[in-house]
Structure formats: structure tokens, C-alpha cells
Amino acid sequence: MEDRVTLDGILMKCDQDPSKVRNPSDCENARIAIERLASQQVDPEEEKKREAEFEKAREKLRVVQDKLRQEQEAKTKVDAYTLPMVPVSPAASGKGAAAPPPAQGDQGGPPLAGNAPH
């Protein structure tokens, strides 16, 4: 860990051509040493600053994605009040046409239970 140049040289050899490495454990030791050096150099204030920036960027991305999702939902949603009006024409009489609906006082069809004539 003290000789950074040697450590970088070992890692470079391990990454470029692993078959030429004499001792594979040297590669593993060098990687562990690099990780330890990296963990020792972290400043707590800098880490807090990075986390705050990350959360800020994350929230910004979330807002943009929510906006896009809402726009997509608005495009696919059907509003009955904005649909075009279709004029209703009376049913044409002839073959295949449905019978006209019964008049208001007309009892079309079989009598229902409790509504039978006495």
C-alpha cells in the first residue's frame, strides 16, 4: 500500500495480460490494497456533499419522469365530454331492424311477477 507506483504497475499487468502474471495472488492483493486506499481517502464532508448532489439529481429526474408519465396518461385517457357528438337517427323499419320501443303505458312482453293483471 505504501508504494503506489508498484501497486499501479501490478494492476496494469493483471488487467492487460493475466496469463503473464507470475503470482495471481499479487493481483488480488493489489486490488484489495487499492480498495483500502480509496476508502481511507474519503472526506466525510465531501461524501455528504456528493450524497446531497445525488439526491438532488435523483429528485430532478423523478420530477421529469412523473411529468412524462402524466403526459402519456393524459394522451391515452378518453374524456367523454370532449368526444364528438353523433346524431341519433330513428331506427329504420325493414328487415333486420329492431322493433320500436314500447310506448310509456304499454306493457310489452310477458307480465312480471307482482305485475300480473287481476
Side-chain angles (χ1 to χ4, degrees), residues 46-99:
E46 188 68 29
E47 186 66 24
K48 286 181 183 178
K49 187 177 178 182
R50 275 193 224 130
E51 285 180 22
E53 288 174 3
F54 173 77
E55 288 299 325
K56 188 176 180 181
R58 185 180 188 187
E59 184 62 30
K60 195 175 189 181
L61 178 63
R62 186 178 298 139
V63 167
V64 168
Q65 288 176 340
D66 283 345
K67 186 178 178 182
L68 288 173
R69 183 181 43 79
Q70 288 173 351
E71 288 175 1
Q72 288 295 329
E73 287 176 0
K75 286 179 184 178
T76 58
K77 195 179 268 188
V78 176
D79 183 16
Y81 295 106
T82 59
L83 291 174
M85 296 292 292
V86 178
V88 178
S89 58
S93 58
K95 287 190 175 181

Side-chain angles (χ1 to χ4, degrees), residues 7 11 14-15 24 26-36:
L7 189 60
L11 281 177
C14 293
D15 290 339
D26 287 343
C27 296
E28 185 64 29
N29 290 337
R31 287 188 180 95
I32 292 170
I34 290 290
E35 288 176 12
R36 286 183 183 168

Side-chain angles (χ1 to χ4, degrees), residues 97-115:
Q104 186 94 6
D106 189 11
Q107 294 278 340
L112 298 175
N115 293 337

